[in-house]
Amino acid sequence: MQQDFEPGTVIDVELVGGPDLYFRVETPAGQPLLSEDPSAGRRSSRENAGPCFCVDLCLDEEPDDPDPEVYPAFTQVGGYDFQTDIDSGPAGTGETVRGGRAFHRTLRLNGIMSKTLNGNPLEYKFQYRERGASSWKNVTPSQLRKMKIGTLEKVETSVSPPRIRTKDYVVGGTPDSDEVGVTPNGNWIPMPQKSGIFSGDGSFVPNHNQIQLDSRTLATFTPAVDLTGIDAGESAEAPSGVSLVQNKHFEIKMLVRENPPNSSPSASTEVGHLENIAINNRLYDYVRHPNWMGEPVDDGLAVAMVNLKELGSGGCEGIEDALNVRFTAAHPNLGNVGITVEGPGGPYRTSPTPSDPNVNGSRDENLYGSIDFQNISGGKKVEELKNCAYVVTLSVGVLLTNGDRVPSNRHDQIAFCKG
């Protein structure tokens, strides 16, 4: 409104009232899009404007809006913030706070990312060491698996209506034909710098992913533990004497620097330090339902074995008035263990614990033994079952995660006929 304009001084008093209009237009970040000279206010169409005034402001070409620089930081493994969601203190477990899961396989390290550092192009790398070690090791390109770290976005204004075209930027692995691969500078990863969304080659937009780290390369987790001599119902640590391999603990940190490096090529800044993460990539060889057409399992994530005592060594004996389910469930990060008998009148279910008769071991690592049908069915006797076929299923949970997903339960099954 006209009364909103500040009055002039005695020096610039005009005989004809009304403001002289010129314009300055800025982006939300303060970048000028249009900056008219004050003399534009003396044009006949702008001088002494009345209370109602319309003007069309046009730009020959929309300028690029540079991204505001944010400070980069490594803060998460997958969806877990390691300051709040992982027991990552020096004396902690290194596992997730909720669920007590250790980590395995490829880990999506992420947080806050910027294209620049102090106004200059940014590059970053990761280092790691096993807890207790004195020296750090660089994460090398061979330890990376392909991961999208952002998108190349470009608006094509030559067509009507304008359309947006995108391509994924990836680090690690071999990029597909429709992806743009970022080539590490030694162990450093340079952030793409394209920033012309309406002109030039497009603009790179980070998605805050940093690397996909194959945790299997951090230490020796192979070969698989050989438990093929174990029968269902026996401890996974006997009779072979092979113990389950516990979690390994690591520190991981991220470093950033300007690219090219400033006056001190070795200068870098630490921008995130995960002090303790528990990792377990050990696998196990064993035999499912060994007394009835035993099925070898190579590189199993956990041990899940079930047998029926009454089937005998050949697995073909009939079931009349007794049924004892023999089982072994083992992993250093053992989850829920369940036994189900499916058939007429069922299903019948139980979750065995070390307090059950003839069940031994540790609920969170190596649970094994024998449990009879009445403890599974809640008191129903085997002779009360209808003469028919039944299936016994052992389900074994594994408390692992890659930060974004958790493994499904491991299973073993065996069938029997009643009567």
Side-chain angles (χ1 to χ4, degrees):
M1 299 181 62
Q2 189 168 4
Q3 60 264 33
D4 292 333
F5 289 88
E6 295 183 2
T9 65
V10 68
I11 299 175
D12 49 29
V13 169
E14 297 182 354
L15 298 178
V16 180
D20 304 330
L21 303 179
Y22 62 95
F23 296 89
R24 178 181 173 87
V25 181
E26 297 179 348
T27 68
Q31 181 190 18
L33 297 176
L34 176 67
S35 183
E36 293 185 333
D37 190 89
S39 62
R42 290 297 185 179
R43 299 175 189 169
S44 58
S45 60
R46 303 277 192 88
E47 191 175 27
N48 298 323
C52 294
F53 182 83
C54 295
V55 63
D56 291 326
L57 301 176
C58 300
L59 301 177
D60 294 333
E61 181 178 316
E62 185 170 348
D64 298 325
D65 184 9
D67 297 330
E69 181 174 285
V70 297
Y71 204 72
F74 162 47
T75 61
Q76 295 194 183
V77 179
Y80 293 92
D81 186 316
F82 58 73
Q83 293 183 344
T84 57
D85 301 328
I86 300 175
D87 186 12
S88 58
T93 64
E95 301 171 355
T96 62
V97 173
R98 296 184 61 184
R101 294 181 181 272
F103 291 80
H104 75 145
R105 299 188 178 175
T106 54
L107 310 178
R108 181 174 62 92
L109 307 187
N110 63 100
I112 302 169
M113 284 306 293
S114 174
K115 293 158 62 172
T116 58
L117 181 66
N118 302 322
N120 296 312
L122 175 149
E123 62 182 5
Y124 64 96
K125 73 175 180 179
F126 281 83
Q127 293 183 328
Y128 68 96
R129 66 183 177 187
E130 196 162 354
R131 293 278 298 170
S134 58
S135 60
W136 290 89
K137 298 179 181 179
N138 288 320
V139 172
T140 65
S142 65
Q143 294 176 277
L144 304 181
R145 301 298 172 257
K146 186 167 73 171
M147 186 182 67
K148 176 181 175 181
I149 64 168
T151 303
L152 178 65
E153 184 179 16
K154 182 178 180 181
V155 177
E156 291 188 353
T157 57
S158 59
V159 295
S160 182
R163 59 188 174 192
I164 299 176
R165 292 193 177 276
T166 62
K167 276 191 175 182
D168 291 344
Y169 269 82
V170 296
V171 168
T174 302
D176 296 333
S177 59
D178 59 345
E179 296 172 332
V180 182
V182 177
T183 303
N185 173 23
N187 298 317
W188 292 89
I189 300 171
M191 287 295 283
Q193 296 297 306
K194 296 182 184 298
S195 58
I197 190 170
F198 290 99
S199 60
D201 297 328
S203 180
F204 170 70
V205 183
N207 64 4
H208 305 302
N209 288 334
Q210 292 155 351
I211 62 170
Q212 185 92 330
L213 174 63
D214 189 343
S215 70
R216 292 167 290 191
T217 67
L218 301 182
T220 301
F221 292 98
T222 55
V225 178
D226 185 2
L227 298 175
T228 53
I230 300 296
D231 194 2
E234 296 179 340
S235 169
E237 296 182 342
S240 65
V242 177
S243 62
L244 298 174
V245 180
Q246 303 302 310
N247 301 333
K248 292 180 178 289
H249 293 258
F250 296 88
E251 297 178 68
I252 302 174
K253 67 179 180 180
M254 177 181 173
L255 303 173
V256 297
R257 70 180 185 182
E258 298 174 26
N259 178 25
N262 56 24
S263 56
S264 175
S266 62
S268 59
T269 303
E270 181 182 301
V271 291
H273 184 174
L274 170 53
E275 293 185 273
N276 186 358
I277 182 171
I279 294 178
N280 196 309
N281 287 300
R282 183 67 74 171
L283 304 175
Y284 302 90
D285 294 343
Y286 63 99
V287 181
R288 287 193 181 108
H289 45 78
N291 285 7
W292 181 76
M293 298 184 67
E295 177 188 359
V297 175
D298 296 327
D299 296 334
L301 188 63
V303 179
M305 303 171 62
V306 68
N307 254 337
L308 301 179
K309 177 181 177 182
E310 287 70 25
L311 289 183
S313 60
C316 297
E317 299 294 330
I319 302 297
E320 294 293 345
D321 55 6
L323 180 66
N324 288 272
V325 178
R326 305 186 65 187
F327 71 96
T328 300
H331 189 274
N333 303 281
L334 190 62
N336 293 328
V337 177
I339 295 175
T340 304
V341 179
E342 296 178 276
Y348 308 100
R349 294 188 175 93
T350 190
S351 296
T353 69
S355 62
D356 294 332
N358 301 315
V359 175
N360 305 285
S362 167
R363 177 62 187 80
D364 56 2
E365 182 175 326
N366 179 23
L367 195 63
Y368 61 96
S370 177
I371 188 165
D372 67 36
F373 180 72
Q374 283 186 265
N375 286 332
I376 299 173
S377 64
K380 189 170 185 175
K381 298 180 179 180
V382 176
E383 52 263 35
E384 298 176 34
L385 291 176
K386 181 180 179 180
N387 290 345
C388 194
Y390 295 81
V391 175
V392 179
T393 301
L394 172 68
S395 176
V396 178
V398 189
L399 297 180
L400 292 174
T401 180
N402 66 1
D404 293 305
R405 295 173 300 279
V406 301
S408 59
N409 286 8
R410 309 292 103 173
H411 296 93
D412 192 15
Q413 290 184 316
I414 193 167
F416 71 91
C417 289
K418 164 64 170 57

